[in-house]
Amino acid sequence: MRKTSLFLTAVLTAVMLAGCGQNTESAAPEQSEAQAESAQEETALEEPESAEEEVEAEEANADQPEKKMTYITCITPQQSGYISMENIVRMYQEEVNPNFSMDIQYIADKPAYLQKIKTLVASNETPDMFNLDTDPYAIKLLDQGIVMDLNETMDKYGLKDVFLPAPLGWGTTKDGRQIAMPIDFSIEVFWYNKKMFEEAGASIPTTHSEFLETCEKLKSAGFTPISVSGKDNWQILRYLLMVTYRYGENDFLYDLAQGKQKMDSEVGRKAAAFVQELGTKYFQSGFASTDYTGASNYFTGGNAAMHYIGTWDLPFMQDDQLGDDMKGNIGYFLLPTVDEGEAVGKSNFISNSTMPIAFGADRFDAETERFIEFYANRISEAISGLAFSPAVNGTLPNETELTKAIYEDMQNSTGSIKLFDIELDPATNELIGKEVVSLALGDITVEEFCSRVDASVEENAAAYFAE
């Protein structure tokens, strides 16, 4: 029908132009009649074929199931994981099922997001899709049949060979159940402002003590050393982890979660003191109420010298997204290590997938599986130019020197660093998230922080992990 409509439009335009020229072109009316006759003949030939095509298309669409999925996410609309999902949905609608749609609902900060998910689950309104780390809460949802174990689906379509082991493993439980599907492949690093470092006479730190010295040099030179989100308190928990992991590897956190280790220990107190020194001296003013986007913009806007975040934010670090004074001005470095002796924790960065995607069991059906298969096989295309793909056939998001350097480091992963906000029981996880902000503000002492964490573990962990 589209061809016919365009042709008729052209004919009508020709007739109108001919009419306008009657005073100067005596042959014009005869030409218009001839054109009209030709158009009628051509239209008569085209219409049956176009009508047949239209009927076939309508029948094909009618055969496709109606499916509307709800995806609740804490990934910002500016991040690659959000944009790639929009791309996947559009591709799926165009190539597979035009009757498929997705309502993507973004919730601004992670604590609010997690509370929303818990509320929906408690109300038996589990979303079709949502972001879920492989933490104790997620494992409970899996055990209770609220979310799907994706192993059967992935085995059915051979999808485990499609994904890279590291990002796929981020959504895998210790006993091998696949609780979520990867979004991208990321490592977490310190991004830094080259000009600020140069003007302050600061060098890239390799140890914790050098890191603190670098912060002091930057501060003395009139710069804000670190931008961080206190509203998304996991960002501050990463600084706690930087010390506990280096001195105690993942075992410190595993044992702490189970009540076999104390935060009120030499390593725990050292980590807490590190966070408090950073918070009271080197984090930006108002960090406790700053959200994820605000912390990122503060750094990329040239207001702070360092910002710790994953490569999922790599697009915001590229020159085409920066102001003139920040172009070519962003570098990165890996996690500092301990000062004395050989470090216990060997990994120099946290490698993961941005909070992977879990699927609610209630409305999981054949069309959901078909979408998952399409997603796995087309994620590299959908995320192209945005981030590192979780699939084996992925390409670099771009060819900048910054991206190439990051990719080289990604090939040197020596293990997985586990996270506080994933390993602890839900009650202790909630408590430590709040208390670490108070610790960084200096509102509580190191001793108070440690004792409160230990008390929560003692009260909640045994019963929780025994269930």
Side-chain angles (χ1 to χ4, degrees):
M1 291 297 291
R2 178 172 173 80
K3 288 182 179 177
T4 304
S5 299
L6 290 172
F7 187 85
L8 289 174
T9 301
V11 171
L12 290 171
T13 303
V15 172
M16 290 173 65
L17 290 173
C20 291
Q22 280 182 3
N23 293 333
T24 56
E25 298 266 355
S26 59
E30 294 179 4
Q31 292 172 350
S32 296
E33 289 173 8
Q35 288 172 342
E37 286 180 16
S38 174
Q40 289 172 355
E41 290 174 3
E42 195 164 336
T43 299
L45 292 172
E46 284 187 3
E47 278 183 341
E49 182 180 351
S50 299
E52 185 177 342
E53 289 174 353
E54 185 177 4
V55 169
E56 289 177 356
E58 288 176 354
E59 288 177 350
N61 290 346
D63 289 340
Q64 297 298 328
E66 291 277 353
K67 181 73 173 180
K68 181 176 181 179
M69 300 185 74
T70 298
Y71 174 32
I72 298 184
T73 181
C74 57
I75 299 171
T76 70
Q78 295 78 30
Q79 283 183 268
S80 59
Y82 190 105
I83 298 169
S84 64
M85 180 58 73
E86 289 183 316
N87 291 342
I88 283 283
V89 170
R90 183 176 62 254
M91 291 158 61
Y92 190 73
Q93 290 169 332
E94 292 172 352
E95 300 175 31
V96 180
N97 184 359
N99 301 324
F100 178 92
S101 62
M102 184 178 293
D103 177 20
I104 304 179
Q105 300 176 16
Y106 163 60
I107 297 180
D109 62 274
K110 190 173 178 181
Y113 165 80
L114 292 173
Q115 186 56 52
K116 175 70 172 179
I117 294 299
K118 290 176 181 178
T119 300
L120 289 172
V121 168
S123 303
N124 295 318
E125 297 176 358
T126 305
D128 298 293
M129 298 165 53
F130 58 103
N131 303 115
L132 190 65
D133 281 318
T134 311
D135 58 13
Y137 176 70
I139 292 170
K140 278 189 178 295
L141 297 185
L142 191 60
D143 290 341
Q144 294 168 5
I146 293 172
V147 298
M148 294 294 296
D149 177 355
L150 298 175
N151 269 322
E152 184 177 340
T153 298
M154 290 198 161
D155 289 340
K156 180 178 178 180
Y157 296 104
L159 302 183
K160 288 183 179 177
D161 294 332
V162 172
F163 289 110
L164 292 164
L168 183 64
W170 195 249
T172 309
T173 65
K174 292 175 185 176
D175 59 5
R177 290 178 291 175
Q178 193 66 42
I179 201 167
M181 188 168 61
I183 290 175
D184 55 19
F185 182 25
S186 304
I187 65 172
E188 296 179 12
V189 299
F190 276 100
W191 307 92
Y192 74 97
N193 185 308
K194 296 178 181 178
K195 291 178 184 175
M196 288 184 181
F197 266 60
E198 184 178 352
E199 290 181 26
S203 56
I204 303 302
T206 59
T207 67
H208 293 142
S209 62
E210 289 177 1
F211 183 79
L212 293 173
E213 289 170 6
T214 294
C215 288
E216 186 59 33
K217 284 184 178 180
L218 290 162
K219 183 178 180 180
S220 297
F223 302 121
T224 298
I226 301 171
S227 178
V228 67
S229 169
K231 219 171 174 186
D232 292 86
N233 48 49
W234 64 265
Q235 291 193 17
I236 302 180
L237 284 172
R238 290 294 199 271
Y239 289 92
L240 195 71
L241 182 67
M242 288 174 197
V243 177
T244 62
Y245 173 76
R246 285 304 194 194
Y247 284 99
E249 237 273 354
N250 288 324
D251 290 341
F252 180 92
L253 184 51
Y254 287 147
D255 291 344
L256 178 70
Q258 300 286 338
K260 301 173 184 177
Q261 175 62 272
K262 297 289 186 183
M263 182 60 68
D264 191 13
S265 61
E266 183 180 358
V267 172
R269 289 190 299 272
K270 188 186 291 285
F274 182 68
V275 169
Q276 187 158 78
E277 185 167 4
L278 293 177
T280 55
K281 293 182 178 180
Y282 305 124
F283 289 168
Q284 86 274 18
S285 176
F287 71 86
S289 59
T290 303
D291 63 13
Y292 182 103
T293 303
S296 178
N297 290 343
Y298 195 75
F299 170 73
T300 57
N303 300 300
M306 292 180 284
H307 180 48
Y308 180 85
I309 207 69
T311 52
W312 56 82
D313 266 8
L314 178 61
F316 306 139
M317 309 298 174
Q318 304 288 353
D319 284 353
D320 61 350
Q321 296 295 313
L322 299 171
D324 290 341
D325 59 336
M326 287 295 290
K327 293 184 188 299
N329 191 31
I330 293 180
Y332 77 95
F333 60 90
L334 305 180
L335 292 177
T337 187
V338 296
D339 300 292
E340 56 273 3
E342 188 70 18
V344 178
K346 306 292 187 189
S347 293
N348 290 322
F349 50 78
I350 294 168
S351 58
N352 53 31
S353 170
T354 304
M355 263 185 111
I357 301 170
F359 291 79
D362 284 349
R363 291 181 291 276
F364 193 91
D365 56 13
E367 183 61 14
T368 306
E369 280 199 322
R370 191 162 68 144
F371 176 74
I372 289 174
E373 180 191 16
F374 185 87
Y375 175 99
N377 286 300
R378 301 297 292 277
I379 182 60
S380 289
E381 181 181 344
I383 207 169
S384 178
L386 299 171
F388 298 99
S389 171
V392 295
N393 62 343
T395 57
L396 297 184
N398 54 59
E399 293 295 325
T400 68
E401 292 306 312
L402 187 62
T403 300
K404 291 176 183 177
I406 285 282
Y407 185 71
E408 267 189 49
D409 276 318
M410 293 176 85
Q411 309 313 302
N412 299 320
S413 179
T414 56
S416 178
I417 301 177
K418 301 304 179 181
L419 310 178
F420 276 95
D421 46 322
I422 290 181
E423 298 301 327
L424 297 174
D425 70 82
T428 303
N429 183 31
E430 184 176 352
L431 176 133
I432 198 172
K434 294 176 181 177
E435 297 294 347
V436 78
V437 177
S438 297
L439 175 70
L441 286 168
D443 290 344
I444 60 174
T445 66
V446 167
E447 291 73 20
E448 286 172 330
F449 172 79
C450 293
S451 64
R452 290 176 188 181
V453 172
D454 288 340
S456 180
V457 170
E458 185 176 353
E459 180 181 353
N460 300 291
Y464 181 81
F465 287 107
E467 292 179 4

